[in-house]
Amino acid sequence: MAVGSGDLGTLHIVDGVRIGTASAGIKKPGRIDTVVFELTEGSAVAGVFTLNAFCAAPVTLSKKHLAAASPRYLLINTGNANAGTGAIGLADAVASCVALATEVSVTPEQVLPFSTGVIGEKLPVDKLIAALPASIKSLSADGWERAANGIMTTDTRPKATSRQIQIDGRTITVTGISKGAGMIKPNMATMLGYVATDAAIAPDMLQGMLDIAADASFNRITIDGDTSTNDSCILVATGRAGGDLLSVSEGPIFEALQAVFNEVFLELAHAIVRDGEGATKFVAVEVAGAKDVSEALKVAYAVAESPLVKTALFASDPNWGRILAAIGRAGVDALDVSTLTVHLGDVLITENGGRAASYTEAAGAAVMKQSEITISINLNRGQHSETVWTTDFSYDYVKINAEYRS
Amino acid sequence: MAVGSGDLGTLHIVDGVRIGTASAGIKKPGRIDTVVFELTEGSAVAGVFTLNAFCAAPVTLSKKHLAAASPRYLLINTGNANAGTGAIGLADAVASCVALATEVSVTPEQVLPFSTGVIGEKLPVDKLIAALPASIKSLSADGWERAANGIMTTDTRPKATSRQIQIDGRTITVTGISKGAGMIKPNMATMLGYVATDAAIAPDMLQGMLDIAADASFNRITIDGDTSTNDSCILVATGRAGGDLLSVSEGPIFEALQAVFNEVFLELAHAIVRDGEGATKFVAVEVAGAKDVSEALKVAYAVAESPLVKTALFASDPNWGRILAAIGRAGVDALDVSTLTVHLGDVLITENGGRAASYTEAAGAAVMKQSEITISINLNRGQHSETVWTTDFSYDYVKINAEYRS
């Protein structure tokens, strides 16, 4: 029931990255649930991680390893989040890194572990370790689509995208995958993202570029306001395309690369929203005329996360009063409701503190019937704009989340 | 599908209060949708109102009238919230007060108007005015149950309670009604509450007592995190029981009255949660060991409003990892997850940052099957405790809210 075509297009290989997949039988026998990325020596790696205080053991360990060494392998399992598992969970995550490191002759610190799935159950680490030889055996440069499938949990379809740009006569490739369908909320969610480029970028630079791209994409989407314990997003630059190492955050090469990262990240983030649990609508909430970014985001999230707005979206009901109520409770200081405007698509629905004189129910209903909807709010009190993306709230959201563990 | 018996018990009359009801056909023909309270001359009246910036016209007007005069009548309609209706909405609310005032020979400022129902549609004020003579004709002291029925919208059953206590040999009565089923959130919600006593209390005192009682009850419940444009809660003291006028906030009489108000308000607030839209569970989230009230409430609301926790409650699934994830994202500064504990009923589910050693799925499942559940979280970092009450998130919540306007 995802929104939009979901066509992955051509996924270009990224020179210096090989991907292997296997079935460890962590939750269901036979399902691909283990993915290994091999990164060529000298790759720069940057990461952003969940802010949830109950972060999962692999998140703790990935952050530690990333600070200590240059990563050569990423090890991802689905079916079990290894979160809320205390000291045993951390020991299990360490054991999986040690096992992979031994298999491929690197140090354990050069392996970054990632887990997603049910929270609070012990990771069946023996099963995961047993699947490592098969994962390594299947390493190949064209494994992106297999990986996109391999990291899915309640996702109904794989998420991946790829771009090529020309810089100084060289072709630069950026390819990435993502997963996540519920528990999606700013500052990451049960969301995993892996993006790689063959451009040559200094590690410090790469972290800054990842921060910018993630902030404008993965940190601007919300399905249900819940933030996961396991969110992680990794950006790799192998340098195999050659050329000078990018080490300053200005100039046309920096700008071209940042732009393509932003594009790829936004597409991967949107793919998560389009496949939001039970989603039947893809909804952009744009807030303009805010005094600052925080104010714009407050209003955008109040609307995007209101269960009453989301159920109205599911029903294709232009119940714009619920949008007003959400704006009104967003906590904006001294909000003057008489000067703000709200558009549903290009239909003006609110002005002067009430329904717009020109508004008709038929016009509102025509917009609400579409599967992609933009709600535009202009607070008319400042210069700042922000957009967040979300979905509607359907019977299937409840069904998926009420039955997830069974 | 409400939780608990819903038996109203005996609703004692409150000397000095008469209640009339009528059908104005505001939304559906034949349904009782108009309620009038008549308060004897000299009654003290206190009110608390929604903090939503898009507050409804009747809220604006009630606040103004309450500040300007001693109320003699309360006029309540369902079927239309008269919210998001701009200048016309305010004119309609004024017109309804003028009409009632003319009919009963008081000033318009002595009428407080209240509306609940669909937001953003013009109030059919002519219909409401036409129903006033019938409302007035039916005024009687025993109208509490009719009123409880008359203020319902998506409520599945009326909400009312009554208490009598002895003070200095006099019988003091406190009787109240409430309504509200969705859009329930701290700082009021689509929630109306009317409580009256025949005790003699000075108006200023009464406002303070209402603030205390409302803060510990109506401001501690949440169904979906949405705050309504129309919430209002009124406390009336007619003084007809005689005795000295209470004018100091200390001593045994003050304490006895505050205690009975707190009890009545809490029962009315709980009744709203028990009848929450689509509710199959009545859930208390208790947070202890917090550094301050704000921290305790942050954690309690993060858990109580998490769609993932709420769908797990609906499924009777002891998916305690979702509770941990909600605590972890509540925004508590430097939260040490290794020292907090979580109980589901009397079953310890979390300690040392993970699943409790003593926990079994069977024990957790046994608690989750109950229709009344307490989630107790001890942050073990301070002395403050707070409790909020909520419900689960069911198919019917989506159904009710997706179909509300049709």
Side-chain angles (χ1 to χ4, degrees), chain A residues 62-127:
Chain A
S62 275
K63 287 198 276 190
K64 194 174 147 197
H65 285 185
L66 192 52
S70 295
R72 290 292 314 285
Y73 289 86
L74 313 178
L75 170 57
I76 309 152
N77 75 268
T78 68
N80 184 302
N82 194 10
T85 44
I88 293 173
L90 201 59
D92 286 340
V94 169
S96 69
C97 292
V98 168
L100 178 56
T102 306
E103 198 80 32
V104 294
S105 302
V106 298
T107 68
E109 288 74 24
Q110 290 181 294
V111 179
L112 306 185
F114 306 89
S115 299
T116 179
V118 174
I119 307 173
E121 292 182 5
K122 188 190 172 328
L123 178 73
V125 68
D126 294 347
K127 290 182 182 176

Side-chain angles (χ1 to χ4, degrees), chain A residues 6 16 97 100 102 131 184 221 227 232 251 332 348 379 383 387 393 400 402:
Chain A
C97 292
L100 178 56
T102 306
I184 303 297
I221 63 176
T227 306
S232 305
V332 173
L348 176 67
L379 300 178
Q383 301 302 319
T387 302
F393 230 167
I400 291 164

Side-chain angles (χ1 to χ4, degrees), chain A residues 351-364:
Chain A
E351 62 186 349
N352 302 321
R355 180 160 57 181
S358 58
Y359 177 76
T360 65
E361 187 87 0

Side-chain angles (χ1 to χ4, degrees), chain A residues 51-55 83-87 118-122 182-183 185 224-229 277 302 305-309 311-312 314-315 317-329 332 335 337-338 340 342 350 352-355 359 361 393-406, chain B residues 51-55 83-87 118-122 182-183 185 224-229 277 302 305-309 311-312 314-315 317-329 332 335 337-338 340 342 350 352-355 359 361 393-406:
Chain A
L51 295 178
N52 194 307
F54 263 108
C55 76
T85 44
V118 174
I119 307 173
E121 292 182 5
K122 188 190 172 328
M183 224 191 200
K185 161 78 185 186
D224 50 23
D226 270 302
T227 306
S228 147
T229 50
E277 287 172 350
E305 293 179 355
S306 159
L308 291 171
V309 171
T311 47
F314 169 55
D317 175 5
N319 193 334
W320 54 273
R322 294 183 180 175
I323 301 173
L324 263 58
I327 297 169
R329 71 166 166 84
V332 173
L335 178 65
V337 300
S338 70
L340 65 78
V342 183
T350 305
N352 302 321
R355 180 160 57 181
Y359 177 76
E361 187 87 0
F393 230 167
S394 68
Y395 294 121
D396 278 4
Y397 176 85
V398 176
K399 187 176 160 67
I400 291 164
N401 283 296
E403 295 177 358
Y404 178 45
R405 295 212 321 180
S406 57
Chain B
L51 295 178
N52 195 307
F54 264 108
C55 76
T85 45
V118 174
I119 307 174
E121 293 184 3
K122 188 191 171 325
M183 223 190 200
K185 160 79 183 184
D224 49 24
D226 271 300
T227 306
S228 147
T229 51
E277 288 173 349
E305 293 180 354
S306 159
L308 291 170
V309 170
T311 47
F314 170 55
D317 175 6
N319 193 332
W320 55 272
R322 293 184 180 176
I323 300 173
L324 263 58
I327 297 168
R329 72 167 165 83
V332 173
L335 178 66
V337 300
S338 71
L340 65 80
V342 182
T350 306
N352 301 321
R355 180 160 57 182
Y359 177 76
E361 187 87 358
F393 231 166
S394 69
Y395 295 123
D396 278 3
Y397 177 84
V398 177
K399 186 175 162 65
I400 291 164
N401 283 296
E403 295 176 1
Y404 179 45
R405 295 214 318 180
S406 56

Side-chain angles (χ1 to χ4, degrees), chain B residues 147-310:
Chain B
N149 278 283
I151 62 172
M152 288 166 55
T153 55
T154 57
D155 306 64
T156 70
R157 63 192 192 189
K159 298 156 185 73
T161 192
S162 191
R163 293 280 192 293
Q164 289 189 321
I165 57 170
Q166 300 297 318
I167 294 185
D168 287 347
R170 295 172 208 275
T171 299
I172 301 290
T173 300
V174 182
T175 299
I177 60 172
S178 65
K179 72 127 305 211
M183 223 190 200
I184 303 297
K185 160 79 183 184
N187 299 315
M188 316 298 287
T190 300
M191 193 239 99
L192 297 175
Y194 302 94
V195 177
T197 179
D198 50 7
I201 306 175
D204 284 1
M205 279 291 305
L206 193 68
Q207 185 66 49
M209 295 177 89
L210 170 59
D211 291 344
I212 290 169
D215 204 46
S217 58
F218 293 122
N219 286 343
R220 290 290 180 277
I221 62 177
T222 180
I223 306 293
D224 49 24
D226 271 300
T227 306
S228 147
T229 51
N230 291 60
D231 308 327
S232 306
C233 186
I234 297 293
L235 177 58
V236 174
T238 66
R240 283 286 186 90
D244 293 338
L245 187 75
L246 179 67
S247 56
V248 288
S249 56
E250 56 183 20
I253 296 178
F254 167 78
E255 280 165 21
L257 284 170
Q258 185 71 61
V260 72
F261 290 159
N262 290 354
E263 219 179 286
V264 164
F265 275 75
L266 196 60
E267 188 170 332
L268 292 175
H270 283 183
I272 291 173
V273 176
R274 289 174 183 282
D275 194 25
E277 288 173 349
T280 73
K281 311 264 175 173
F282 177 74
V283 183
V285 182
E286 299 177 352
V287 177
K291 281 190 180 162
D292 53 38
V293 170
S294 151
E295 183 172 293
L297 288 177
K298 259 195 231 174
V299 172
Y301 281 117
V303 173
E305 293 180 354
S306 159
L308 291 170
V309 170
K310 291 163 92 79

